[in-house]
Amino acid sequence: MPMLGCALQMHLFIALGGAECFLLAVMAYDRFVAICMPLRYTLIVTRVLCQQMLALACVSGFALSLTLTALIFRLPFCQSHEINHFFCDIPAVLFLACSDTRANEIAIFVVCTLILLIPFLLILLSYGFIITAILSIHPAQGRSKAFSTCAGHLLVSLLHYGCAIFIYIRPKSCYSPEQDKIVSLIYTNVTPMLYPMIYSLRNKEVKGALRRFLGSYNQMRQQPKAR
């Protein structure tokens, strides 16, 4: 892969991942308003506000990604250009630099903090208020409905941010190629495959189809085998 192609791959990966981080924070704010201020929800969360937050999340992700990619590919790579990874990821490319990268690591840490830590802390803060509001609901049915509204998003956020923070918020000296490849494989392939399943479990039709499938599967198992 040429150097420009590697830089473009890294830029798009970070940009889309960063936009997802900001969108997860926006979704947490949406749930905070829906549960903590339900009577004012339609006044606060308007279509215009949703469009503005979506545009801000995408622009921020691409702008920070461009900054991060430029910082990394300004470094001299005078050793082997063979990346010990299955795509052009930040730690794998940074490991090949043959100059002092401490200043770049600090800049990368700052950018990753803006993309990962701040949105994640905002999500945790939102869910702190949400849990407090849910616990004040007296009917058990109301609590269950509120928890089911937030459970999918919270699980997706923990999976997404957990893997990303493990990979990117750490110094170069802690880089382990084999460990990073395994975590990156989970981060880029396994968790995105789980997202539709996690979000769809709130859908009554999906729940009904899953129950019918499990019921038919159990009936097939209980049927005597033909001799």
Side-chain angles (χ1 to χ4, degrees), residues 83-164:
I83 300 174
N84 188 11
H85 214 295
F86 57 88
F87 73 102
C88 292
D89 202 8
I90 296 173
V93 176
L94 190 64
F95 187 75
L96 299 178
C98 56
S99 64
D100 187 8
T101 60
R102 281 178 294 182
N104 299 79
E105 287 182 55
I106 293 172
I108 291 169
F109 178 80
V110 171
V111 175
C112 288
T113 300
L114 293 174
I115 295 177
L116 294 173
L117 289 182
I118 292 178
F120 186 55
L121 291 175
L122 290 175
I123 290 174
L124 294 180
L125 180 63
S126 298
Y127 274 102
F129 288 111
I130 288 171
I131 292 172
T132 303
I134 290 175
L135 293 177
S136 65
I137 299 174
H138 295 292
Q141 186 177 3
R143 290 184 183 180
S144 176
K145 185 177 180 180
F147 272 120
S148 66
T149 302
C150 303
H153 173 261
L154 183 59
L155 181 57
V156 167
S157 298
L158 292 175
L159 287 172
H160 181 80
Y161 284 100
C163 294

Side-chain angles (χ1 to χ4, degrees), residues 185-205:
L185 183 64
I186 297 172
Y187 175 64
T188 57
N189 291 275
V190 178
T191 53
M193 291 173 61
L194 295 175
Y195 293 168
M197 186 183 301
I198 293 170
Y199 284 127
S200 298
L201 287 176
R202 288 186 56 218
N203 191 304
K204 292 182 179 179
E205 295 179 2

Side-chain angles (χ1 to χ4, degrees), residues 4-226:
L4 182 61
C6 184
L8 180 61
Q9 185 187 67
M10 181 183 291
H11 169 62
L12 291 176
F13 178 77
I14 299 170
L16 295 174
E20 183 179 359
C21 289
F22 293 128
L23 287 174
L24 287 172
V26 169
M27 291 170 68
Y29 173 72
D30 174 76
R31 281 153 177 77
F32 163 73
V33 177
I35 293 175
C36 297
M37 295 177 282
L39 299 179
R40 299 176 57 194
Y41 179 82
T42 55
L43 297 176
I44 297 174
V45 185
T46 61
R47 181 180 293 273
V48 175
L49 179 64
C50 291
Q51 292 173 347
Q52 290 174 346
M53 290 191 295
L54 175 62
L56 182 62
C58 294
V59 171
S60 300
F62 275 83
L64 291 172
S65 172
L66 185 62
T67 304
L68 198 57
T69 306
L71 283 172
I72 292 173
F73 281 90
R74 287 180 59 187
L75 293 169
F77 300 99
C78 51
Q79 300 176 4
S80 171
H81 289 180
E82 183 177 348
I83 300 174
N84 188 11
H85 214 295
F86 57 88
F87 73 102
C88 292
D89 202 8
I90 296 173
V93 176
L94 190 64
F95 187 75
L96 299 178
C98 56
S99 64
D100 187 8
T101 60
R102 281 178 294 182
N104 299 79
E105 287 182 55
I106 293 172
I108 291 169
F109 178 80
V110 171
V111 175
C112 288
T113 300
L114 293 174
I115 295 177
L116 294 173
L117 289 182
I118 292 178
F120 186 55
L121 291 175
L122 290 175
I123 290 174
L124 294 180
L125 180 63
S126 298
Y127 274 102
F129 288 111
I130 288 171
I131 292 172
T132 303
I134 290 175
L135 293 177
S136 65
I137 299 174
H138 295 292
Q141 186 177 3
R143 290 184 183 180
S144 176
K145 185 177 180 180
F147 272 120
S148 66
T149 302
C150 303
H153 173 261
L154 183 59
L155 181 57
V156 167
S157 298
L158 292 175
L159 287 172
H160 181 80
Y161 284 100
C163 294
I165 290 173
F166 174 80
I167 293 175
Y168 300 114
I169 307 294
R170 60 178 178 173
K172 180 182 175 181
S173 58
C174 298
Y175 175 66
S176 174
E178 300 304 322
Q179 188 180 51
D180 272 35
K181 281 190 283 188
I182 295 173
V183 177
S184 296
L185 183 64
I186 297 172
Y187 175 64
T188 57
N189 291 275
V190 178
T191 53
M193 291 173 61
L194 295 175
Y195 293 168
M197 186 183 301
I198 293 170
Y199 284 127
S200 298
L201 287 176
R202 288 186 56 218
N203 191 304
K204 292 182 179 179
E205 295 179 2
V206 174
K207 288 182 179 178
L210 185 61
R211 290 194 190 98
R212 289 193 296 271
F213 172 76
L214 293 175
S216 60
Y217 177 73
N218 290 330
Q219 289 179 0
M220 290 175 60
R221 290 187 61 186
Q222 292 172 3
Q223 288 177 357
K225 296 182 179 179

